[in-house]
Amino acid sequence: MPRFPRRRREFQPRGSPAVLDDEGWAVNRRATTTTTTTTSAATSPTARGAAPPEDLELREGGRRLAPVAGTRAADLDVRRALLWWRGYEHQLRTRGEELHGIGPALEEAAAAVDEVLRRSTPRTTGDVFAAVAEGFAGVPGVPALMAPWFAEFARSGGGDVTTHDLADAAEAGLEAVQRAGGPAPGAGSLVDAMAPAAEALVGADVAEVPVVAALNAAYRAAANGTRRTAVRGVVDPGALAVTWFFERGTVV
């Protein structure tokens, strides 16, 4: 049973999709210092016309990352869930300085997840997200607050994960984060990326689109939510971390 009432509606993502730069994400660009991340006028929601979803590209080291072959219409299996985690882990480990104070904690959480995965080989998608939840739970601060969110993705993953499963997990995860002390939407926090992403996944479920397309919608929604957390050009790092998670899901 879903944790929230499901609204029957047509799927229509809000706002324009993100335009990605050669560093991999266009909500923020890397600034000239290692301590400040600023938003760019060229990447603001109103600066460019909306690109169609197929124009979204994820780049790493100047190289385009293409989705795993043959997965466009497939549900999410354990192999792809692991690829998703490994990509997200890479973001956390290599771009932590953009996370303004929470980068070291998220890197510590990533290392803890790796230790869990070394102890026990995951057999389902749920096992992968359970390892992520366990690793994050042991690190105080934002990682511990994200742990119940990942735990809901773990509960959705007894077998191959569908768009419906992701929608239920994102909704239940948002509720779990708020029960654990997360603020309401609009406060400029990680919730401002989680909430629109959950809404986008519900819309994708209603429209019966496949997982990869649903994750693209969630990524765009999270990116737009993260933009709205900006204060003097700096977005909330927790919201940025959530958006990176969905971003890496777009290429699995």
Side-chain angles (χ1 to χ4, degrees):
M1 293 289 291
R3 302 295 185 89
F4 289 74
R6 305 300 289 275
R7 291 175 286 174
R8 302 301 298 178
R9 61 189 177 195
E10 294 183 358
F11 173 49
Q12 197 168 33
R14 296 179 179 177
S16 61
V19 180
L20 302 179
D21 63 14
D22 60 6
E23 287 295 319
W25 197 57
V27 174
N28 280 14
R29 61 174 172 80
R30 189 169 302 214
T32 54
T33 71
T34 59
T35 57
T36 304
T37 304
T38 60
T39 54
S40 165
T43 61
S44 69
T46 58
R48 297 183 181 180
E54 59 269 25
D55 285 350
L56 288 172
E57 288 189 350
L58 176 60
R59 291 183 176 271
E60 190 172 278
R63 180 175 62 86
R64 179 178 179 272
L65 296 182
V68 178
T71 62
R72 280 293 178 189
D75 294 338
L76 189 70
D77 60 18
V78 63
R79 180 180 68 93
R80 291 168 63 203
L82 273 171
L83 287 172
W84 187 356
W85 162 248
R86 294 301 180 197
Y88 184 47
E89 175 191 27
H90 180 77
Q91 292 280 79
L92 297 178
R93 288 182 180 275
T94 61
R95 300 184 67 181
E97 76 276 6
E98 297 177 54
L99 295 172
H100 300 296
I102 68 170
L106 286 168
E107 289 182 47
E108 181 182 346
V113 174
D114 280 350
E115 180 57 34
V116 176
L117 291 171
R118 275 193 292 270
R119 291 199 309 263
S120 178
T121 301
R123 298 185 181 278
T124 67
T125 56
D127 292 343
V128 175
F129 291 120
V132 177
E134 182 178 341
F136 273 57
V139 181
V142 169
L145 191 57
M146 294 177 73
W149 188 63
F150 286 121
E152 294 299 335
F153 283 88
R155 292 187 182 98
S156 75
D160 289 357
V161 169
T162 66
T163 297
H164 180 80
D165 295 327
L166 288 175
D168 282 352
E171 286 189 310
L174 174 61
E175 185 182 53
V177 167
Q178 292 182 302
R179 284 198 307 269
S189 76
L190 77 174
V191 169
D192 291 299
M194 289 177 174
E199 183 178 0
L201 286 169
V202 170
D205 179 28
V206 170
E208 299 182 344
V209 302
V211 164
V212 169
L215 288 170
N216 266 294
Y219 165 48
R220 294 195 302 273
N224 286 331
T226 297
R227 287 189 183 96
R228 290 191 286 271
T229 70
V231 176
R232 294 186 295 277
V234 179
V235 300
D236 178 76
L240 180 56
V242 169
T243 300
W244 282 355
F245 174 71
F246 285 113
E247 177 190 47
R248 299 307 298 216
T250 65
V251 292
V252 301

